[in-house]
Amino acid sequence: MREKFAEKFQFFLFRVFPLTAVVVGSLLLIIYHFIQGDTMPIEAALFADMVTIPLDFFDLKVDQYVLETENYLIFQQFESLPPLVRSSYSLVFGVVLFVLVCLGLVLVSFFDRTPFGFSMVAVIFLLTLTGVNSLHIGGLNTNLPMMLLMAGMVLPTVVLHTFYHRWNAYKRMLVVFPLGLLTVFILIHWAGAVSPGLLISENITMFGLAVAAIFLVYTGHAVLSSVFVLLVKLNKGVGLKIS
């Protein structure tokens, strides 16, 4: 019974949940772009300037008179308003990325020795992009937040890979996710910055962006090769050179 539950949980956690997050996230991005409006609002403003316009000129030999009238020139300008901040969206996006990072660490713990070493080096480098040192724990821009983050997320992965390599994904997730959640709670609780939860949610975007870029580099050759094969098939009988 436990083995079936662990298999179902693993299937949902590593296949259904990531695919659902990608599809739902793409749809929400489209809805947000076309329905929610721009995050940098621009408002049109009007202002007028009075000018004097000569209508006629009278020369009476003794004196000269100019017949004038006043008119207004209307100008239109565009003023950029303060950007709209939707902190709830950022927090939800940060939570989803945190769960995906924990899933990635669980998968990394299954790697062999050499791939695991390179992967952990990449994870440590990506964690430096989160900018957690800006939380100002123990002082301004100290390395203590980064040390806490590595101790709560990198160290458990190393321990699982070294001493508990026979554990399944269900047990490893029960270790990585609570420790990672506790680490984030400690960072938010001890942070000296304003809105630390929002800061972490925004900075973890760099982690996700870097992983997405690595994935595109990894699968980019497949896209280029498929496009090339498609062009070659379309080029039959035409004789054009494809470079």
Side-chain angles (χ1 to χ4, degrees):
M1 185 68 181
R2 292 182 179 179
E3 294 180 356
K4 292 183 178 180
F5 176 76
E7 292 179 358
K8 292 182 179 180
F9 180 80
Q10 182 176 349
F11 177 79
F12 172 79
L13 203 60
F14 294 101
R15 295 187 180 182
V16 178
F17 176 74
L19 182 60
T20 305
V22 170
V23 174
V24 174
S26 301
L27 294 177
L28 291 179
L29 180 62
I30 296 174
I31 295 173
Y32 177 82
H33 179 73
F34 290 100
I35 296 180
Q36 293 294 331
D38 297 331
T39 57
M40 297 293 292
I42 298 177
E43 184 177 356
L46 299 176
F47 69 95
D49 189 10
M50 186 178 63
V51 294
T52 302
I53 301 175
L55 294 179
D56 202 352
F57 178 80
F58 298 97
D59 188 5
L60 302 179
K61 303 301 181 180
V62 179
D63 199 358
Q64 296 177 351
Y65 296 93
V66 179
L67 182 61
E68 297 177 344
T69 184
E70 293 180 348
N71 201 350
Y72 290 90
L73 294 179
I74 299 177
F75 298 91
Q76 184 179 17
Q77 66 177 1
F78 296 93
E79 182 178 359
S80 179
L81 300 178
L84 299 177
V85 179
R86 296 183 175 92
S87 57
S88 57
Y89 292 171
S90 298
L91 290 174
V92 172
F93 188 71
V95 170
V96 174
L97 275 179
F98 172 76
V99 175
L100 293 177
V101 169
C102 291
L103 292 178
L105 291 177
V106 173
L107 293 177
V108 168
S109 64
F110 283 101
F111 290 174
D112 294 333
R113 180 179 300 178
T114 302
F116 177 78
F118 287 107
S119 300
M120 293 312 299
V121 171
V123 169
I124 293 174
F125 172 74
L126 293 176
L127 288 178
T128 59
L129 300 178
T130 57
V132 292
N133 290 336
S134 57
L135 294 174
H136 304 323
I137 299 178
L140 295 176
N141 295 324
T142 59
N143 294 325
L144 183 59
M146 180 57 64
M147 296 172 61
L148 292 174
L149 187 62
M150 291 185 180
M153 300 190 72
V154 176
L155 184 60
T157 307
V158 175
V159 173
L160 290 174
H161 173 77
T162 306
F163 301 102
Y164 302 96
H165 56 276
R166 294 185 179 180
W167 280 14
N168 55 20
Y170 175 72
K171 292 182 179 180
R172 300 189 185 203
M173 191 64 191
L174 292 179
V175 174
V176 173
F177 187 79
L179 291 178
L181 187 63
L182 179 62
T183 303
V184 174
F185 176 78
I186 292 175
L187 291 175
I188 294 176
H189 181 70
W190 287 355
V194 180
S195 300
L198 183 60
L199 189 146
I200 293 177
S201 299
E202 291 180 351
N203 287 336
I204 200 175
T205 306
M206 295 300 299
F207 190 104
L209 181 62
V211 174
I214 294 174
F215 178 77
L216 289 178
V217 172
Y218 177 73
T219 59
H221 65 89
V223 177
L224 295 178
S225 300
S226 61
V227 172
F228 179 78
V229 171
L230 177 62
L231 292 176
V232 169
K233 290 184 178 181
L234 294 176
N235 192 36
K236 288 183 178 179
V238 180
L240 295 178
K241 293 183 179 181
I242 299 177
S243 60

